[in-house]
């Protein structure tokens, strides 16, 4: 076999099927061809978070039982992966499988010692429990594998039969199983109807937040997106809106078609009182794709400047400008903005950047 220079080669030569996912922002697949270009330094990583690529690499054989690596690689100032980091990780893999860069058959079972060797490297990381649950549900749904033991009970709860306040016995994995299968067994309809009832029941808030958290990482049906948009706008119109709930709604809407998401963002950005830091963090972390116009990017940065939290402003601006699709939307704002508040925040950002060099 040929020498192995990147993960894609290793997986291809090992006769495995595989998928690459970003886990830094929304859980979303990265096209295998695009990922190979990223590995070869031909294009920047598409979804950077704090100048890192947070990856899940899932690979499987004909039995469709996946093996998964969770990997985190630093990015340079252009958003490119460091080839040395990729090479170093490949060394850990080949050493764990006791082969020499020659296309190990990754589908072989690892001993406990091999697993420990592979895990003991600086590039692996553990996602938080919520994201881990969503990812496992998504990959199992993608491969047609059975749901968890908590699935049917979660369906029973969201049907309303158990009473909305009786959420304590509902397992998170059951909730993520439903959300990863919105187009199966009328789950999308079930969730859409449940949302209205749960929003009206204060004692159901823990389950509502868990549900919204799972919806962050899936593609929404139009009717479900419409319902979430309605609930978000209703909350925004209250004299004392729950800003944390609005943040959770915004995150959940990140998988909606822009026809539903963009009007919600415009509603929020039109009112300074709705632009709480948690809401702005939600927009930057999950709905960044909608900040691709100079007008909306400017509105977002203005609201961020108005929080008077310069450190957060600097962090989110630096994070967003690293996203390839947003770089040329945000960079021009450094030299042209009609708002004195935003101009002052951008000036402070530039001064801090210069002092840090």
């Amino acid at each position: 076999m040929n020498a192995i220079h990147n993960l894609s080669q290793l997986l291809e030569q090992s006769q495995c099927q595989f998928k690459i996912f970003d886990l830094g922002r929304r859980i979303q697949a990265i096209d295998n061809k695009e990922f190979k270009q990223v590995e070869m330094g031909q294009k920047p990583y598409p979804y950077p978070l704090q100048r890192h690529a947070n990856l899940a690499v899932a690979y499987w054989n004909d039995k469709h039982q996946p093996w998964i690596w969770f990997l985190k690689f630093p990015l340079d100032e252009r958003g490119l992966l460091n080839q040395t980091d990729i090479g170093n990780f490949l060394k850990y893999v080949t050493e764990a499988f006791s082969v020499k860069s020659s296309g190990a058959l990754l589908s072989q079972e690892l001993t406990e010692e091999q697993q420990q060797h592979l895990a003991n490297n600086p590039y692996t990381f553990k996602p938080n429990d919520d994201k881990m649950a969503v990812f496992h549900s998504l990959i199992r749904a993608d491969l047609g594998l059975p749901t968890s033991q908590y699935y049917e009970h979660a369906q029973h709860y969201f049907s309303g039969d158990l009473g909305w306040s009786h959420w304590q016995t509902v397992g998170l994995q059951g909730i993520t199983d439903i959300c990863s299968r919105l187009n199966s067994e009328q789950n999308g309809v079930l969730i859409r109807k449940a949302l209205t009832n749960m929003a009206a029941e204060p004692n159901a808030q823990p389950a509502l937040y868990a549900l919204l958290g799972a919806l962050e990482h899936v593609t929404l049906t139009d009717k479900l997106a419409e319902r979430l948009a309605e609930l978000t706008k209703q909350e925004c119109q209250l004299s004392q809106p729950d800003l944390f709930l609005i943040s959770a709604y915004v995150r959940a809407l990140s998988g909606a078609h822009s026809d539903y998401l963009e009007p919600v963002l415009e509603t929020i950005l039109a009112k300074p009182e709705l632009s709480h830091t948690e809401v702005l963090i939600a927009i930057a972390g999950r709905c960044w794709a909608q900040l691709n116009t100079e007008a909306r990017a400017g509105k977002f940065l203005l609201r961020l400047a108005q929080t008077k939290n310069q450190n957060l402003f600097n962090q989110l601006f630096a994070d967003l400008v690293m996203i390839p699709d947003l770089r040329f939307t945000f960079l021009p704002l450094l030299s042209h903005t009609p708002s004195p508040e935003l101009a002052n925040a951008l000036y402070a950002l530039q001064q801090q950047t210069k002092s840090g060099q």
Side-chain angles (χ1 to χ4, degrees):
M1 290 189 182
N2 298 325
I4 304 297
H5 299 292
N6 56 54
L7 286 169
S8 298
Q9 284 182 312
L10 176 66
L11 293 159
E12 289 167 353
Q13 292 193 21
S14 296
Q15 301 174 1
C16 293
Q17 297 182 63
F18 65 96
K19 288 187 76 170
I20 311 295
F21 296 83
D22 176 69
L23 262 67
R25 295 179 175 275
R26 298 183 68 242
I27 298 175
Q28 53 196 330
I30 300 175
D31 179 76
N32 287 355
K33 182 179 179 180
E34 180 182 14
F35 182 68
K36 183 177 286 189
Q37 292 175 314
V38 170
E39 285 189 287
M40 296 172 68
Q42 296 175 352
K43 63 187 304 183
Y45 185 74
Y47 312 115
L49 182 67
Q50 298 176 1
R51 285 187 63 163
H52 280 80
N54 297 267
L55 298 167
V57 179
Y59 62 94
W60 59 92
N61 55 22
D62 55 0
K63 295 180 181 178
H64 276 209
Q65 185 62 47
W67 289 269
I68 300 166
W69 298 333
F70 296 109
L71 306 175
K72 186 172 184 175
F73 294 106
L75 303 169
D76 67 15
E77 67 280 358
R78 298 165 297 171
L80 299 176
L81 284 172
N82 187 317
Q83 301 301 302
T84 301
D85 290 325
I86 298 293
N88 288 340
F89 176 72
L90 289 173
K91 288 180 182 178
Y92 282 102
V93 175
T94 55
E95 288 171 3
F97 283 87
S98 302
V99 296
K100 295 182 179 179
S101 310
S102 57
L105 287 175
L106 296 180
S107 56
Q108 65 179 283
E109 293 293 335
L110 291 178
T111 66
E112 186 174 337
E113 182 180 356
Q114 287 175 312
Q115 290 175 358
Q116 184 63 36
H117 183 87
L118 183 55
N120 188 26
N121 75 80
Y123 304 107
T124 57
F125 80 106
K126 182 181 179 182
N128 64 45
D129 291 344
D130 291 356
K131 192 169 284 187
M132 186 84 83
V134 176
F135 179 76
H136 280 294
S137 289
L138 286 171
I139 194 67
R140 292 183 70 81
D142 197 35
L143 295 179
L145 296 172
T147 59
S148 71
Q149 60 182 315
Y150 307 103
Y151 176 61
E152 290 185 7
H153 185 71
Q155 284 183 313
H156 197 36
Y157 171 77
F158 288 115
S159 71
D161 293 343
L162 301 179
W164 301 113
S165 61
H166 298 142
W167 52 266
Q168 293 90 341
T169 59
V170 181
L172 175 62
Q173 199 70 63
I175 296 174
T176 59
D177 282 347
I178 290 177
C179 292
S180 66
R181 293 167 172 80
L182 290 176
N183 294 315
S184 301
E185 301 181 18
Q186 295 291 301
N187 284 332
V189 176
L190 190 72
I191 294 302
R192 178 162 50 89
K193 292 180 177 178
L195 277 168
T196 302
N197 291 296
M198 296 170 74
E201 173 53 67
N203 292 329
Q205 279 225 336
L208 176 60
Y209 275 97
L211 172 61
L212 295 174
L215 290 173
E216 292 179 27
H217 304 286
V218 301
T219 300
L220 304 181
T221 64
D222 285 348
K223 288 186 176 180
L224 180 53
E226 183 178 19
R227 178 61 50 83
L228 279 167
E230 290 171 354
L231 291 170
T232 310
K233 290 177 180 177
Q234 288 173 15
E235 191 66 32
C236 289
Q237 291 166 1
L238 297 178
S239 58
Q240 292 185 309
D242 185 335
L243 296 171
F244 289 92
L245 182 56
I246 290 174
S247 171
Y249 280 141
V250 166
R251 290 172 179 270
L253 274 165
S254 59
H257 190 279
S258 57
D259 288 349
Y260 301 102
L261 178 53
E262 288 181 359
V264 169
L265 298 185
E266 293 291 345
T267 297
I268 291 170
L269 295 176
K271 296 182 179 181
E273 62 271 21
L274 294 177
S275 298
H276 184 271
T277 54
E278 286 297 322
V279 178
L280 296 174
I281 290 170
I283 294 173
R286 295 290 184 265
C287 308
W288 72 91
Q290 276 63 46
L291 299 177
N292 62 344
T293 67
E294 186 174 333
R296 194 173 297 123
K299 284 182 185 177
F300 172 81
L301 289 178
L302 174 60
R303 296 305 180 214
L304 189 56
Q306 288 171 339
T307 67
K308 306 298 183 184
N309 188 335
Q310 187 66 43
N311 287 336
L312 180 64
F313 183 95
N314 295 352
Q315 179 184 337
L316 293 187
F317 185 93
D319 206 32
L320 290 167
V321 81
M322 283 285 291
I323 298 174
D325 290 344
L326 298 183
R327 184 183 297 270
F328 296 106
T329 301
F330 277 79
L331 281 178
L333 294 170
L334 287 170
S335 56
H336 172 69
T337 173
S339 164
E341 289 175 292
L342 179 52
N344 290 337
L346 289 168
Y347 178 76
L349 166 67
Q350 290 171 301
Q351 292 303 111
Q352 185 166 327
T353 302
K354 288 178 181 178
S355 65
Q357 291 177 345

